[in-house]
Amino acid sequence: MLNNRYIKPIILCLGYLLTISCEDFVDLEPPNYKMVTETVFENDETAMAAITGIYNELFSSASFSNGYISSVTILAGMSSDIFETTSATDTRYGPFQQNQISPRGTPDASANYELWSSAYNIIYMANSVLEGLSNSDQLSEETLTIAEGQARFIRAFTYFYLVNLYDDVPLVLTTDYSKNAVAPKDSAAKVHEQISTDLDLAISLLEEVGEYESLERTNINRFVVMALRARIYLYQQNWEKAEEWSSKVIDQASIYEILQDLDEVFLKNSREAIWQISPVPVGRRQTTYTREGYFFRGINSSRVVLSNDFVATISPEDKRLAHWVGYNSSREFYFPQKYKDGSSSGNITEYSMVLRLAEQYLIRAEARAMQGNLPGAISDLDKLRNRANLELIANTLPGISQEDLLEEIMEERKRELFSEWGHRWLDLKRLQKTAEVLKPIKPLWQDTDIFYPIPEEERAKNPNIEQNEGY
């Protein structure tokens, strides 16, 4: 693992190159960073430090990924039936809950803009690394391969959320400010194609990278890429491939396992973790807890809580209710407590979970069910039900129909993956169930609400970006 003493100098060296977000660089003259990039990519250690800088940015400044107030986890959770706000007049989260987001001039519009712009900032950083690697003739083949694989994964991962939240978006694959400043929206199909291209290349490039550096599950190896590839295939309804790639991850029993103790799942370097983001020092604050833990366990001031209707779907015997759901008796609301630490100032005990093994079992269960392999799907689903202390479907409903089994899988996804990266919101959309589920509980629902509005700040700078329908 790269020694920490290298990180600060490299981040300073990259300060201009890698921390210019899209909302900034569209208004700037071409940056003179030739000497900077040559310095960064002149040896293996500094080149890998550029990747480390992106990892750090995912936690420290990237709103979409850091689990905090404008993250995918919070905003997409509000848009579904998982979260609700504790204030009837809340102007930041209330519009997300009612699916009435404003494109401009309001707290909810600001949150939407922070999500959008931070995602494009990460993409810009990944593009910067990819360009620096392609222009360097001083790096070892191993460093070139690993750094490119990881940068391509990060770009694909970020675009996955952009295209699923906003539909058509600009496909920015360069740091050329003159092109980016006027880039129109590309079709969602084209963006998905680029995501698949990046992931397939990343798998090939990281073919020999199966271990985690210093046992830290914060760097991207081939199994991280395979896990996201399995999810993409699921979204594309390529059931055979979704089963194949989720199996490739599940079969790594020496690395991953479903932990029986629910309180251990979200610990740092948990054996259920496929990819995590580590808290890192931010300014003078030595952060030793996740932003999710800080946000949800700030129970005296939290404005985002678990919906009572959602909590009611978790049966009393389900161990997830006791271990992953907290209750504030003084203010009478439920909150996620998958992360137990929200205020420590000592050693880091938890990392933010991005990809974990339980999702792979759920992906494979759905893929198997869609292919008619109901016993195989039941086996995968029961793996998680057994951990949760629920009756096994193999024992109680061995003759369950395909339709009913798929419904059970969706309910299990809701209970297992709540408060993680907006899974429920994305599930409702990909299964075309948003109106069916949300319209009865959200009276202002319109079918065009399935996609967020393009931030008006972005459109003011780039008039070639058309607004989404309904806004």
Side-chain angles (χ1 to χ4, degrees):
M1 173 173 285
L2 183 69
N3 192 301
N4 287 337
R5 67 190 176 90
Y6 291 107
I7 294 176
K8 185 175 180 181
I10 298 305
I11 296 303
L12 291 175
C13 184
L14 292 174
Y16 194 70
L17 168 63
L18 295 186
T19 60
I20 298 175
S21 58
C22 282
E23 69 270 24
D24 293 324
F25 74 70
V26 295
D27 295 328
L28 293 174
E29 292 300 313
N32 181 16
Y33 57 75
K34 181 177 179 181
M35 183 174 67
V36 176
T37 54
E38 288 178 350
T39 301
V40 170
F41 297 101
E42 70 179 4
N43 65 65
D44 290 353
E45 285 187 312
T46 53
M48 290 309 298
I51 295 292
T52 300
I54 302 179
Y55 287 147
N56 290 348
E57 185 78 3
L58 287 169
F59 172 80
S60 62
S61 301
S63 295
F64 92 99
S65 60
N66 66 11
Y68 199 42
I69 57 177
S70 298
S71 65
V72 173
T73 290
I74 305 303
L75 301 183
M78 291 297 303
S79 297
S80 69
D81 53 351
I82 298 298
F83 294 150
E84 60 188 21
T85 179
T86 55
S87 171
T89 60
D90 188 291
T91 56
R92 186 178 185 90
Y93 300 115
F96 281 90
Q97 181 181 341
Q98 294 301 322
N99 305 97
Q100 298 295 304
I101 308 164
S102 173
R104 66 163 73 84
T106 58
D108 60 300
S110 175
N112 183 44
Y113 179 60
E114 290 163 8
L115 187 154
W116 167 282
S117 60
S118 66
Y120 270 107
N121 188 34
I122 292 297
I123 289 167
Y124 182 75
M125 294 173 74
N127 289 342
S128 298
V129 169
L130 290 170
E131 289 179 6
L133 295 171
S134 67
N135 294 327
S136 175
D137 58 3
Q138 302 179 67
L139 302 177
S140 69
E141 189 63 32
E142 180 182 12
T143 293
L144 282 169
T145 299
I146 292 175
E148 181 182 349
Q150 294 185 354
R152 284 189 177 275
F153 171 86
I154 290 169
R155 185 168 70 183
F157 171 80
T158 308
Y159 267 121
F160 168 81
Y161 285 101
L162 280 170
V163 76
N164 278 286
L165 294 175
Y166 296 96
D167 197 27
D168 298 346
V169 295
L171 183 58
V172 176
L173 302 177
T174 176
T175 60
D176 186 334
Y177 89 106
S178 61
K179 292 181 179 179
N180 297 337
V182 294
K185 294 200 293 187
D186 290 283
S187 69
K190 185 176 180 179
V191 178
H192 280 295
E193 183 179 350
Q194 183 63 47
I195 291 170
S196 295
T197 296
D198 277 342
L199 290 180
D200 289 342
L201 281 169
I203 289 171
S204 176
L205 291 163
L206 299 175
E207 184 176 1
E208 303 301 321
V209 184
E211 298 299 323
Y212 292 98
E213 297 174 0
S214 302
L215 302 181
E216 291 279 301
R217 300 187 177 216
T218 54
N219 68 285
I220 295 158
N221 62 18
R222 69 179 183 274
F223 301 122
V224 175
V225 187
M226 289 176 180
L228 184 59
R229 197 70 181 96
R231 184 196 293 178
I232 299 295
Y233 279 129
L234 185 80
Y235 277 53
Q236 294 172 337
Q237 299 185 5
N238 189 333
W239 313 121
E240 183 178 351
K241 286 292 188 180
E243 178 181 4
E244 176 187 347
W245 286 94
S246 58
S247 293
K248 289 177 184 291
V249 181
I250 292 170
D251 289 346
Q252 304 305 311
S254 64
I255 306 175
Y256 308 114
E257 68 173 313
I258 295 296
L259 298 174
Q260 295 307 303
D261 187 343
L262 290 168
D263 291 334
E264 294 181 355
V265 172
F266 293 85
L267 296 179
K268 68 176 184 178
N269 304 317
S270 152
R271 279 181 55 82
E272 190 164 325
I274 299 172
W275 184 37
Q276 296 176 304
I277 296 174
S278 170
V280 293
V282 181
R284 295 182 178 179
R285 194 180 84 214
Q286 300 298 303
T287 305
T288 60
Y289 47 84
T290 67
R291 290 266 173 77
E292 294 93 340
Y294 180 76
F295 186 90
F296 289 122
R297 296 190 68 82
I299 56 177
N300 292 321
S301 59
S302 178
R303 291 180 289 170
V304 174
V305 300
L306 289 174
S307 158
N308 289 331
D309 289 341
F310 163 68
V311 175
T313 67
I314 309 176
S315 61
E317 63 269 20
D318 191 328
K319 287 167 42 175
R320 289 170 294 199
L321 183 63
H323 291 265
W324 287 355
V325 176
Y327 183 65
N328 183 317
S329 57
S330 62
R331 295 180 58 192
E332 299 183 330
F333 64 74
Y334 295 95
F335 60 94
Q337 62 168 3
K338 288 180 172 179
Y339 298 93
K340 314 301 182 186
D341 181 9
S343 60
S344 73
S345 58
N347 294 329
I348 299 173
T349 60
E350 298 172 335
Y351 288 167
S352 294
M353 188 73 74
V354 188
L355 299 170
R356 64 185 177 99
L357 188 61
E359 184 199 354
Q360 298 301 304
Y361 275 99
L362 290 165
I363 288 172
R364 194 169 72 174
E366 185 176 346
R368 285 176 165 178
M370 292 300 298
Q371 296 176 89
N373 180 5
L374 303 192
I378 290 170
S379 176
D380 284 338
L381 195 60
D382 279 348
K383 185 81 172 179
L384 302 182
R385 291 179 65 87
N386 179 65
R387 197 242 311 256
N389 194 41
L390 297 176
E391 292 183 325
L392 303 185
I393 293 177
N395 296 335
T396 59
L397 295 169
I400 189 172
S401 69
Q402 182 189 49
E403 181 181 358
D404 288 344
L405 180 56
L406 287 168
E407 184 61 33
E408 286 291 338
I409 292 169
M410 289 306 103
E411 286 299 302
E412 195 62 33
R413 286 182 66 89
K414 181 171 68 172
R415 291 188 293 260
E416 179 69 25
L417 302 175
F418 75 91
S419 72
E420 296 180 52
W421 286 90
H423 277 288
R424 176 64 170 173
W425 175 236
L426 301 187
D427 281 344
L428 291 175
K429 295 205 300 177
R430 71 180 176 87
L431 296 169
Q432 299 181 0
K433 289 182 175 291
T434 47
E436 173 188 334
V437 172
L438 300 181
K439 196 168 186 178
I441 60 176
K442 302 189 179 189
L444 299 178
W445 173 265
Q446 301 177 60
D447 289 343
T448 53
D449 293 337
I450 60 172
F451 295 115
Y452 291 167
I454 306 300
E456 282 298 328
E457 294 94 326
E458 197 66 32
R459 296 187 67 239
K461 286 177 279 191
N462 181 359
N464 290 331
I465 301 180
E466 296 181 4
Q467 184 55 272
N468 282 339
E469 184 181 358
Y471 295 97

